[in-house]
Amino acid sequence: MAKEYVDIATLKYLLYQVHKVEELLTSERYQDYDKDSLDLFINSIKEFSDRELFPYFKEMDETPAVYKDGTIMVHKQVDVMMKKGGDMGIIAGPFDYGEGGLQLPFIIHTASAYIQEAANNHLPGYAGLTQGAAELIVHFADDALKETFVPKMLSGAWGGTMCLTEPQAGSSLSDITSKATPTDEGHYKISGQKIFISGGDHQYAENIVHLLLARIEGAPSGTKGISLFVVPKLRVESDGSLKQNDVVTVADFQKMGQKGYATTHLGFGDNGDCHGWLVGEANKGLKYMFLMMNSARISVGRGGAAISMAAYQASLEYANERPQGRKLSSDGKKDPNEKPCLIIEHPDVRRMLLLQKAIAEGSLSLVLLAAKYYDIIQSTKDPEAKEKYGLLLEMVIPIVKTYPTEAGSVAVSNGVQVLGGYGFCSDFILQQYYRDIRIFSIYEGTTGIQSQDLLGRKVPMENGKALELLLTEVLDTITEALEFDELRSSAKILGGKIKLTKEVLDFLMPFAKKGNYERYLSDANLFMEFLSHVVLGWLWLDIAVHAQRNLEESGQTHSKAFYESKIHTMKFYFKYELPKTSSLAESLMHPDVLTIKSKNEVF
């Protein structure tokens, strides 16, 4: 295990100087907070993570969640996470005061969860899914359901899940077959099975409240006939007692990574006695679920960013301690009489570390940006601002979900490589990070789904208004960067990538206009990678603008080396990562169509 797992100085720099969290505190919603109180909360989360999460990270991988005697047995720290985390406001943080929450800015809640996930990505999901399930109840359920379930969930006494996926349907939610039959008592009888339910059962939960998608008998086919139900493991009787609700844990899934985070197969109504309560209106379940999906997808991207950072910290520590080989002299020779140098002195190791740093810190900035947009939407009373940031959030969400998880896997893979053979051994933690991060590009909609959402829905949204707003934000940063000699060339490069983006879309859009959507979306994943690189280039240039400004002003909050490292990493990103957009654009605009099924079978 490494000694450290997160860079708090960079986190706070991004929060306060780059994303200017204190501007949010002028709104009525967040007026009770100031920088000191936010810092106090973040510091308490770091202390909690140091004590209760990070020390158990490797142990939870070695003693995974396992199905036994009809339930899932998990590590004892799950109990600590839920109970102590509940006491600290980890679950209730972003909820309104009236709902029993702390009314924290979502960006601060996001930062706190990021610290926890960097410390131990197996634990925060139990609390995070409980929060998401409670959020659905708060937003869409009636008062009776809120009063029955939400207080216990926010305290951490009861867990919560999202039950979407079914064995025969996978990600195709239009094909779910779970049924809901109305009764004369005001509830529904639920029957069906759900798979891949994270946190779906464990021995430390007094009760688990499932938010379940099902089809009421006679409802329309497809997604239009899906409703949302509260289906607790134990239903609450009129006297307050708990009774078995015919919810059965069928099995668990043994996974490649995140072994301490239970993933279950649940059966509902095998004995005909599973009660569920309709949330909101019938046949609007998918709409309700997806209204909460933005925060869920931010959470997944946040997890990818957190694991990337933790892996970077571990490989950086190793590179600063491991002597091996000798530096190459200017004449191309090595002196065997010299002592071996630390591997961090080798250019190739430095390249891998800089790639990790660029991806980890850039991903964090991306996640915080989305969380800030979310906060502005929540807190502003200006309808124009609400619309603007609503469109910006919709535009970046697929990228927030995808880049930190896909590029994060590349970053962690480079971390394994930094350690060489040791990186592949269980004695060192990099292999665990590598296994853990792989699931994040699958959670909450795979990369393919996110890519089709980006190109198919978000780019054309409101006749391209969302994309125009995003590109305007990028151009504003380019204008700022042009003021600094140190950043001018990078600003011009990014400006060229904006032009390239428009060229790519000018090539692709005619396919959509002609109704040839299969061709239009056939390389959506390449467009996702292309636009992600442009957006990350923007965020790194923005980080560099703030760093350069700090270098030229008095009253710096960080060292000169800190700011210079941000500018150096930006330049690394622009040299090694941003140029990939050119080859991606070439593929996107290539005349050959090779992935659409044709008459000639190729497999």
Side-chain angles (χ1 to χ4, degrees):
M1 291 287 286
K3 299 183 185 71
E4 192 51 85
Y5 56 87
V6 71
D7 181 352
I8 290 292
T10 290
L11 173 61
K12 290 185 176 181
Y13 168 69
L14 292 173
L15 281 172
Y16 296 122
Q17 295 189 35
V18 175
H19 294 295
K20 299 181 171 60
V21 166
E22 288 172 274
E23 291 179 357
L24 293 170
L25 308 184
T26 60
S27 70
E28 183 180 344
R29 179 174 178 80
Y30 303 128
Q31 63 183 351
D32 292 341
Y33 292 98
D34 57 18
K35 184 176 182 296
D36 289 341
S37 60
L38 297 181
D39 268 344
L40 188 64
F41 181 74
I42 290 170
N43 294 341
S44 70
I45 294 296
K46 175 63 163 61
E47 291 169 8
F48 173 72
S49 301
D50 286 347
R51 186 176 64 254
E52 304 290 1
L53 275 64
F54 188 53
Y56 301 95
F57 176 53
K58 192 170 188 290
E59 186 178 305
M60 290 186 72
D61 181 66
E62 295 168 345
T63 55
V66 63
Y67 180 74
K68 184 179 180 182
D69 299 329
T71 191
I72 307 294
M73 308 302 292
V74 298
H75 195 281
K76 60 183 174 61
Q77 286 307 110
V78 174
D79 192 40
V80 174
M81 178 77 229
M82 292 299 290
K83 303 301 191 301
K84 290 189 178 180
D87 290 343
M88 292 177 66
I90 283 173
I91 302 171
F95 287 80
D96 291 351
Y97 293 137
E99 296 154 359
L102 304 180
Q103 212 159 295
L104 269 173
F106 185 66
I107 191 172
I108 297 300
H109 168 77
T110 299
S112 76
Y114 167 82
I115 295 168
Q116 297 163 59
E117 286 162 337
N120 184 335
N121 68 80
H122 298 216
L123 281 170
Y126 292 97
L129 275 174
T130 301
Q131 177 208 325
E135 193 174 6
L136 278 168
I137 296 172
V138 164
H139 278 270
F140 305 116
D142 60 34
D143 289 341
L145 290 176
K146 292 177 189 177
E147 292 166 8
T148 301
F149 296 106
V150 172
K152 290 278 192 180
M153 296 171 76
L154 297 191
S155 72
W158 292 359
T161 76
M162 309 285 198
C163 291
L164 289 75
T165 308
E166 295 182 2
Q168 82 293 340
S171 297
S172 181
L173 297 179
S174 62
D175 295 320
I176 68 170
T177 58
S178 291
K179 290 192 292 188
T181 305
T183 69
D184 294 335
E185 288 80 32
H187 62 266
Y188 290 74
K189 288 290 186 73
I190 305 295
S191 62
Q193 295 193 12
K194 298 288 182 178
I195 61 169
F196 300 147
I197 307 306
S198 298
D201 192 22
H202 58 85
Q203 77 272 31
Y204 295 114
E206 180 186 10
N207 198 6
I208 295 184
V209 184
H210 304 291
L211 272 289
L212 179 142
L213 293 180
R215 197 181 304 279
I216 299 172
E217 289 184 292
S221 60
T223 58
K224 293 180 180 179
I226 296 174
S227 298
L228 180 65
F229 297 88
V230 172
V231 186
K233 178 182 179 181
L234 305 176
R235 59 180 182 257
V236 183
E237 298 290 274
S238 57
D239 62 359
S241 63
L242 299 177
K243 181 179 180 179
Q244 289 292 335
N245 193 34
D246 198 9
V247 178
V248 178
T249 302
V250 177
D252 71 326
F253 294 92
Q254 291 299 307
K255 300 173 296 184
M256 180 172 81
Q258 281 211 312
K259 295 185 177 185
Y261 188 21
T263 303
T264 58
H265 181 169
L266 301 177
F268 298 86
D270 289 353
N271 299 308
D273 192 35
C274 181
H275 295 196
W277 287 266
L278 181 66
V279 175
E281 297 179 38
N283 303 329
K284 292 190 176 180
L286 203 59
K287 177 183 177 183
Y288 297 152
M289 189 69 79
F290 274 89
L291 284 171
M292 297 295 101
M293 200 55 76
N294 281 347
S295 58
R297 288 174 173 167
I298 291 172
S299 298
V300 175
R302 182 188 69 211
I307 296 172
S308 300
M309 174 57 76
Y312 167 59
Q313 293 296 319
S315 50
L316 179 63
E317 179 180 306
Y318 182 89
N320 275 303
E321 294 176 351
R322 168 70 173 176
Q324 184 177 314
R326 289 156 185 85
K327 286 188 70 175
L328 194 66
S329 63
S330 57
D331 61 4
K333 297 178 181 179
K334 295 180 181 180
D335 184 352
N337 296 314
E338 285 185 1
K339 288 183 178 180
C341 66
L342 295 174
I343 63 171
I344 198 168
E345 296 184 47
H346 297 308
D348 190 54
V349 173
R350 296 178 70 83
R351 177 192 59 78
M352 290 187 285
L353 290 170
L354 277 164
L355 178 63
Q356 286 185 268
K357 179 179 172 67
I359 291 172
E361 294 184 10
S363 293
L364 174 57
S365 188
L366 174 64
V367 168
L368 294 177
L369 175 75
K372 183 181 178 181
Y373 288 164
Y374 191 95
D375 275 322
I376 294 172
I377 297 163
Q378 290 285 100
S379 60
T380 186
K381 293 182 179 179
D382 179 354
E384 289 186 7
K386 194 176 288 287
E387 180 194 20
K388 173 185 174 181
Y389 290 102
L391 288 170
L392 281 170
L393 181 61
E394 289 294 331
M395 191 68 220
V396 301
I397 280 292
I399 299 172
V400 173
K401 159 61 176 70
T402 302
Y403 180 83
T405 61
E406 289 285 6
S409 291
V410 174
V412 179
S413 177
N414 274 264
V416 173
Q417 193 79 7
V418 168
L419 272 67
Y422 286 119
F424 202 65
C425 295
S426 58
D427 289 349
F428 289 81
I429 205 65
L430 264 297
Q431 50 77 32
Q432 185 177 337
Y433 288 128
Y434 192 42
R435 288 184 288 108
D436 285 348
I437 198 171
R438 186 60 187 86
I439 186 63
F440 281 77
S441 61
I442 298 172
Y443 281 148
E444 302 298 348
T446 62
T447 296
I449 290 171
Q450 301 302 324
S451 300
Q452 290 198 25
D453 181 44
L454 177 66
L455 185 58
R457 291 184 62 245
K458 303 305 174 60
V459 167
M461 181 180 287
E462 295 200 19
N463 294 317
K465 186 175 180 180
L467 179 61
E468 272 307 311
L469 284 170
L470 180 63
L471 296 182
T472 298
E473 296 289 295
V474 178
L475 289 169
D476 287 346
T477 299
I478 290 172
T479 300
E480 288 185 76
L482 287 170
E483 298 174 9
F484 301 100
D485 292 341
E486 187 74 11
L487 308 180
R488 194 166 290 128
S489 62
S490 299
K492 291 177 180 178
I493 290 170
L494 188 58
K497 299 304 179 182
I498 299 298
K499 293 179 182 177
L500 184 59
T501 303
K502 293 178 178 178
E503 286 178 33
V504 168
L505 288 172
D506 284 344
F507 176 84
L508 292 175
M509 278 298 179
F511 294 111
K513 290 177 181 177
K514 292 173 184 175
N516 190 356
Y517 288 101
E518 188 176 25
R519 171 63 184 88
Y520 174 61
L521 295 173
S522 61
D523 285 324
N525 64 318
L526 295 187
F527 183 79
M528 167 67 79
E529 190 175 352
F530 172 88
L531 193 59
S532 293
H533 280 309
V534 175
V535 168
L536 267 290
W538 162 47
L539 293 174
W540 266 113
L541 187 63
D542 188 44
I543 291 169
V545 165
H546 287 87
Q548 188 65 42
R549 190 170 287 132
N550 274 280
L551 283 172
E552 296 181 12
E553 294 175 355
S554 57
Q556 299 170 0
T557 55
H558 299 276
S559 68
K560 180 181 178 184
F562 177 90
Y563 295 120
E564 288 176 341
S565 78
K566 302 306 178 199
I567 296 169
H568 187 91
T569 309
M570 180 276 292
K571 290 181 177 180
F572 175 90
Y573 191 89
F574 272 61
K575 176 179 177 179
Y576 291 94
E577 292 296 293
L578 194 57
K580 293 176 181 177
T581 53
S582 297
S583 62
L584 288 164
E586 184 178 341
S587 295
L588 283 161
M589 294 187 288
H590 198 284
D592 289 347
V593 183
L594 303 176
T595 56
I596 294 176
K597 187 174 181 180
S598 63
K599 295 178 181 178
N600 299 321
E601 186 54 72
V602 295
F603 298 112

